[in-house]
Structure formats: C-alpha cells, structure tokens
Amino acid sequence: MNLTYFHEIFDYNYALHSRVWDSIMQITDAQFLEAIPYSIGSIRNHMVHLMNVDQRWLCRVMQMPLPAQRIDQEEYRTRAATHQKWEEIEKFVCNSVYSLSESDLDRPVEIKISSRPNMNVKPVWQILAHVVNHGTDHRAQILPILHRMGAPTFDQDLMLHLWQEDE
C-alpha cells in the first residue's frame, strides 16, 4: 500500500464534498430539509449520515472510542449549522488520515457493529477505501437532487480532480 495514494483520494473526497457544500448553499434551508423519497431522505440527512460514518470509521482506524452518541440529524435544521459541524468532522478525519504511517495501512482493525454481530477484522487501508467510496456514492445521490432543485452541479471524476490539481 501507498500512503500517498490515500492522501490523494482523501483530498479528492473532501474537495468534492466542499463543492457539494457550495451547491447546497445555493438552495434554501427548506430545500435542504425537504423529504426525498429515496435512500436516506433529505440532503441534510445525507450530509449528517456522512459525518457520522466518516467520524466513526476514523475513530476505529485511530483506535479511539466511538462517540457515545451519533450526530443527531434533528439538531441540524439549517445548512449553516450542519456545515459548521461538517467542518469539525472533516478536520478530524483529514488530520487522522495524514497522521497515519505507511505501516499503519496494513494494521488490522477490529470492527464490532451491532447489525453485524460477528466481529470482523479489516486492515486500515480497506476502511479508508470504504470511506472514500461511500462518500462518492452519497455525492452521486445528492447531486441529481441538487440539480432538480436548481443548484449548480459538477462532474465528480477523480481524473478531472487530478488534472485540475496539475494546472
């Protein structure tokens, strides 16, 4: 495994999340909370879900206790409040990823999830790959919703991101 690769894809993941936030800021708070009859519902629900998942996976990777409570989506009724919490989680996640060493990538992580009663062990690199893939999946769900609401959207190809970095 190559740590530089994970730095690159986390940079990509959060740069594109930032672009999603730019689009989210073009809609109203009512649209942000609007019930969507697909996946996990509103754009707010997607963003809070991503915060919960990223935080919890990185706590596992960093061998830290999981937060006692999940982030409650009902506490976040505005784009601004949700984005503020997002920035806190993003900082934790990115600092965690950048603090890892090359040897950490193969370190096994014990995973205990209530919906999966059999304990599982996965290496750090697989968890990091999952976090980025999960982010891409939810952006792919959010972007068409934002488009239908009239917000600007964008391509999220990794190669386009890498080419833009080279410019």
Side-chain angles (χ1 to χ4, degrees):
M1 282 290 105
N2 182 310
L3 192 57
T4 302
Y5 168 76
F6 287 100
H7 292 169
E8 289 279 340
I9 65 168
F10 268 81
D11 289 348
Y12 154 77
N13 189 49
Y14 277 96
L16 270 67
H17 283 325
S18 178
R19 292 186 67 191
V20 166
W21 274 109
D22 290 344
S23 294
I24 289 170
M25 293 308 188
Q26 302 300 310
I27 62 174
T28 66
D29 284 333
Q31 288 173 307
F32 183 62
L33 299 173
E34 183 179 316
I36 304 296
Y38 177 75
S39 185
I40 57 175
S42 69
I43 293 173
R44 184 266 322 262
N45 291 4
H46 280 274
M47 301 313 284
V48 172
H49 170 74
L50 284 167
M51 287 190 286
N52 273 310
V53 170
D54 288 8
Q55 179 183 46
R56 295 174 74 80
W57 279 117
L58 266 296
C59 281
R60 290 178 179 103
V61 163
M62 301 308 293
Q63 300 172 314
M64 298 169 57
L66 296 178
Q69 302 246 327
R70 290 182 183 268
I71 300 164
D72 182 1
Q73 64 193 27
E74 292 305 318
E75 291 182 27
Y76 296 92
R77 307 292 302 163
T78 67
R79 294 162 297 145
T82 312
H83 189 245
Q84 183 176 8
K85 182 66 174 177
W86 176 275
E87 288 178 331
E88 175 188 321
I89 301 299
E90 178 180 345
K91 183 176 181 181
F92 164 72
V93 169
C94 292
N95 286 344
S96 296
V97 169
Y98 272 88
S99 75
L100 295 170
S101 68
E102 195 79 34
S103 62
D104 284 326
L105 294 176
D106 288 320
R107 177 174 40 81
V109 176
E110 292 182 7
I111 304 163
K112 296 177 184 178
I113 300 175
S114 60
S115 63
R116 300 197 178 277
N118 298 328
M119 183 182 66
N120 209 340
V121 177
K122 293 293 180 192
V124 166
W125 74 265
Q126 286 183 357
I127 294 169
L128 297 179
H130 166 71
V131 169
V132 172
N133 187 62
H134 184 251
T136 302
D137 177 39
H138 281 281
R139 283 191 306 273
Q141 294 177 40
I142 294 166
L143 287 168
I145 298 166
L146 286 167
H147 176 76
R148 284 191 298 275
M149 292 178 172
T153 57
F154 52 89
D155 290 327
Q156 62 167 334
D157 291 341
L158 173 61
M159 192 54 67
L160 292 175
H161 171 76
L162 295 172
W163 282 331
Q164 287 174 339
E165 282 191 335
D166 289 343
E167 293 175 354

